[in-house]
Amino acid sequence: GSEMCIRDSQSFACMNPLYVILSVMLALAANIGASAASIEHEAASLSAAQGASQHEAASVTPAASEEAKTQNFALKTNLIYDALLMPNVELEWRINNRWSLAAEADVAWWKNDGRHKYYQIMNFAAEGRYWFHSYKPWHGHYVGLSAGGGKFDLEGGRTGYKGEGFLTGLSYGFMFPVSSCLSFDAEVGFGYLYAQYKVYKPQDDHYLFQHKSRTNYFGPVKVKFSLVWRFNAFDSKAGK
């Protein structure tokens, strides 16, 4: 009466209540162990995924940090024009990692009335630039589209030319850093120049008008080797 028997055609097993209880406890323990192993496996997978995400974030962070501290404005002076006694200044605004806008002014206003010598040029121009990211943010190769105009009075003692001009063209350049805020920028431009002017000759203390003329020119219109000072006017977010 104290035993439970299970009988079939091939085997006979008799189990008392204690054996049944132990069997149930072992089954529960096995299920709990399997659940714990599954939870441990899921935790390991989650930890691996988090590690991969952290690794990816770590690989992106230096570039993002470099972009964030890139200056967004630059003041430039073309050393070639400076050597030709034509003071000049250019302000460039870095819009984002690919585009920038620049505006420049070149002014040489020298004269010697006694010798009838005039070296007077006033030119203003604007340029949009596309950067190829071949070096680092705001450095490396770029191409530009520019347009500008101004007036001039040039005379070397015999014949003078006084008038206005307009030019437009494409440019190619390369900018490279020399310190945390200084760079050099080399640029050449090719395009179209149109000028209309009066030709005159000096005589005693006055000038004799000769005729009017105009020039249509295709070819090199710009050459630069500029010293660049980069600075931040306000905080910028790279990539926006």
Side-chain angles (χ1 to χ4, degrees):
S2 64
E3 294 181 344
M4 296 179 59
C5 295
I6 300 177
R7 188 188 302 270
D8 58 26
S9 59
Q10 297 180 353
S11 63
F12 178 80
C14 293
M15 297 176 293
N16 57 35
L18 179 60
Y19 183 83
V20 174
I21 293 173
L22 290 175
S23 299
V24 172
M25 291 177 65
L26 289 173
L28 289 175
N31 290 334
I32 292 173
S35 299
S38 176
I39 292 173
E40 182 178 359
H41 176 72
E42 292 181 359
S45 300
L46 180 60
S47 177
Q50 290 177 346
S53 299
Q54 291 175 355
H55 175 73
E56 182 179 357
S59 63
V60 172
T61 300
S65 177
E66 183 179 15
E67 297 289 342
K69 64 183 181 182
T70 301
Q71 295 91 344
N72 52 24
F73 279 91
L75 278 178
K76 304 182 179 183
T77 182
N78 185 356
L79 301 179
I80 298 175
Y81 289 0
D82 291 334
L84 296 174
L85 301 181
M86 183 162 57
N88 63 94
V89 63
E90 177 182 337
L91 177 64
E92 185 172 5
W93 171 38
R94 173 181 170 268
I95 301 173
N96 55 36
N97 295 336
R98 290 291 189 182
W99 296 97
S100 66
L101 288 176
E104 68 173 285
D106 315 312
V107 179
W109 215 250
W110 313 105
K111 66 178 181 177
N112 188 323
D113 291 324
R115 295 186 177 184
H116 299 292
K117 291 186 177 182
Y118 293 87
Y119 176 39
Q120 298 183 329
I121 300 174
M122 182 181 295
N123 179 65
F124 301 95
E127 181 173 354
R129 292 172 181 149
Y130 176 82
W131 296 80
F132 288 104
H133 280 191
S134 54
Y135 189 77
K136 61 186 297 186
W138 209 8
H139 287 88
H141 300 275
Y142 65 86
V143 292
L145 175 63
S146 63
K151 61 181 183 178
F152 58 90
D153 187 358
L154 302 172
E155 183 197 345
R158 295 183 178 180
T159 303
Y161 307 89
K162 185 175 183 178
E164 300 83 28
F166 166 82
L167 63 86
T168 184
L170 299 173
S171 61
Y172 161 78
F174 184 85
M175 190 162 84
F176 56 96
V178 294
S179 74
S180 60
C181 60
L182 294 178
S183 302
F184 282 116
D185 182 12
E187 182 183 12
V188 293
F190 297 85
Y192 168 69
L193 168 66
Y194 171 78
Q196 59 181 12
Y197 50 90
K198 298 177 182 179
V199 181
Y200 64 88
K201 289 184 179 294
Q203 183 174 351
D204 300 328
D205 59 350
H206 58 278
Y207 300 91
L208 300 178
F209 170 77
Q210 301 297 305
H211 59 86
K212 290 184 179 181
S213 186
R214 64 184 62 186
T215 296
N216 292 280
Y217 165 81
F218 291 91
V221 293
K222 174 169 54 176
V223 58
K224 289 184 173 184
F225 187 75
S226 301
L227 177 64
V228 183
W229 174 51
R230 295 172 280 110
F231 63 97
N232 273 321
F234 51 82
D235 291 334
S236 62
K237 301 296 183 181
K240 287 191 176 181

